[in-house]
Every structure is written in C-alpha cells, then in structure tokens.
C-alpha cells in the first residue's frame, strides 16, 4: 500500500528506441548542475497511482501516457519520499513545458536563480553519456532496454 504524499511516481516511457526524460539545468550549488530525470511527482491523497502518473507526466511534458507495470522502486530519498518507476505507453503529444510550468520557472528567474527544464526524447544509446538521477536508475534502465 502506498502512502500519498510520501510516494512519488515516475514514468518510464520508451518509444522508437528513445526514452522520455527531462533535462534539468540549474545555477544553484548542486553537484550535477546539468542532469536528467524521469517525469513524475507525488501521489495526491485522493488519487490512484495510475491517475497520479498520467497527471504528473502530462504536467511535466505535455505527453499523455497509459500506465503500465511497476518497473522499479527506489528507497526513500532524503525527503522521506519513496520513488516508484512505472513503465508507460506513449499515447499522444510532443514533449514541451506547459504554461504553468513555464510560469514557475519565470518566478525563480526573478529570485536570481536559473533553472531550465526541457522535456525531450533521448536515445537509449545516449544514456551512457548523461547524468541520470537518482543514482542507480540508469543501470536498471540500461539492463532492461539495452539495444
């Protein structure tokens, strides 16, 4: 059983040898200022895992997906959030930020912080050359989808 607000769902969407990721660039003092993550977010109190995944992937990337099987569960992160990674099928859409997400980034720019989030398809063959967070997920993905 999941704990809403303590569970984060992430979509692993593969299409034509590419995987849907978000490229993150930040000016804040982080170890990896340029890295990639899977789209997703927290499960709300009133929704299922499948509904949360569809909502979060669309919010982050403008892509509509269908939730599939649980692929991996990573241990709780420093914020006490468990991350669950689900395989999902691309239904429709092109990766782009929705207007509400662009507005959030513009607010950060006004606070002298620089963040960009760019949803995109990345070739599975290129995964070796990027920083994919959190640690450990890249190896699982490469084992599952290596071509």
């Amino acid at each position: 059983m999941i704990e809403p607000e303590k569970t984060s769902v992430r979509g692993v969407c593969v299409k034509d040898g590419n995987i849907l990721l978000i490229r993150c660039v930040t000016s804040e003092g982080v170890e990896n200022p340029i890295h990639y993550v899977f789209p997703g977010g927290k499960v709300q109190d009133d929704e299922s895992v499948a509904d949360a995944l569809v909502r979060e992937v669309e919010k982050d990337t403008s892509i509509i997906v269908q939730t599939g099987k649980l692929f991996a569960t990573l241990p709780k992160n420093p914020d006490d959030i468990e991350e669950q990674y689900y395989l999902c099928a691309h239904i429709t859409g092109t990766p782009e930020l929705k207007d509400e997400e662009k507005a959030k980034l513009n607010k950060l720019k006004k606070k002298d912080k620089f963040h960009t989030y760019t949803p995109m398809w990345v070739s599975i063959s290129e995964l070796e050359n990027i920083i994919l967070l959190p640690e450990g997920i890249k190896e699982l993905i490469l084992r599952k989808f290596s071509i």
Side-chain angles (χ1 to χ4, degrees), residues 103-119:
K104 287 179 188 176
L105 292 176
N106 284 334
K107 286 181 184 177
L108 289 174
K109 286 179 187 175
K110 292 176 183 171
K111 296 178 180 178
D112 294 328
K113 295 178 183 176
F114 176 75
H115 295 278
T116 63
Y117 302 111
T118 308

Side-chain angles (χ1 to χ4, degrees), residues 37 52 63 83:
V37 297
I63 299 279
E83 291 195 342

Side-chain angles (χ1 to χ4, degrees), residues 36 123-132 138 142:
Y36 293 76
S123 172
I124 292 172
S125 63
E126 289 296 312
L127 288 182
E128 288 286 350
N129 303 320
I130 67 172
I131 296 171
L132 181 59
K138 184 191 314 191
L142 288 172

